[in-house]
Amino acid sequence: TALAAGDLVVEITDGTAGAATANVPAVSTTSTWTFVTVDISGISDAGKDDVDGFSIELSSQGATALAAFTIQLDNVIKWDNSGDLAIGGTVLDGGMIGVAALTTAEDQANTPVMLAEGTDFWVRPGASAMLIFITDQSAVSVLATYAVQ
């Protein structure tokens, strides 16, 4: 089912600040895995500090416009856009081979540490591929190997 912007909303519930929502953008491709980014910057930081609940809900607009449909999610990840790196080429889905971090401080051991996909980073595949860091990697240099087409 194609979705118009705002047919679905992401609701984040914070134990102190209560519930707040952000619109899911339009999705025009049907029956195809599609990477979707929901901008939650409009939700106050206090509403994202102590998350007690997360849901994807049909908005009143969506309830009026849509019949029953199925949505399948592979992953839901929250990250800060300052941790994004553009990757050159069209990265194949599942094409990340490995990401190693190397401490950049002068007096530190320069032993590479392998980062874990899904824990330390996430890959948005395709022509606008991104390496998205979930954990803070600001004190290291990163070497990524990946497959492109």
Side-chain angles (χ1 to χ4, degrees):
T1 300
L3 301 173
D7 281 348
L8 297 177
V9 295
V10 167
E11 182 175 278
I12 297 173
T13 304
D14 177 287
T16 306
T21 61
N23 286 337
V24 173
V27 178
S28 58
T29 306
T30 62
S31 301
T32 302
W33 187 90
T34 305
F35 186 92
V36 176
T37 301
V38 178
D39 181 2
I40 62 171
S41 63
I43 297 174
S44 73
D45 286 343
K48 298 179 279 195
D49 286 347
D50 180 21
V51 176
D52 296 323
F54 170 87
S55 63
I56 298 174
E57 300 180 2
L58 197 58
S59 68
S60 56
Q61 164 190 313
T64 301
L66 300 169
F69 66 98
T70 300
I71 183 171
Q72 296 175 344
L73 303 172
D74 287 332
N75 291 292
V76 176
I77 298 173
K78 178 188 176 287
W79 79 90
D80 180 348
N81 280 346
S82 64
D84 292 353
L85 281 175
I87 301 175
T90 300
V91 176
L92 299 173
D93 188 13
M96 185 57 60
I97 297 166
V99 177
L102 185 66
T103 303
T104 54
E106 265 182 58
D107 59 346
Q108 300 295 313
N110 290 323
T111 305
V113 174
M114 295 306 293
L115 301 180
E117 187 169 3
T119 300
D120 295 309
F121 69 92
W122 173 255
V123 178
R124 181 176 72 192
S128 58
M130 299 290 287
L131 183 60
I132 302 163
F133 292 105
I134 301 168
T135 56
D136 182 6
Q137 300 298 321
S138 61
V140 298
S141 290
V142 175
L143 173 67
T145 54
Y146 53 91
V148 297
Q149 64 182 43

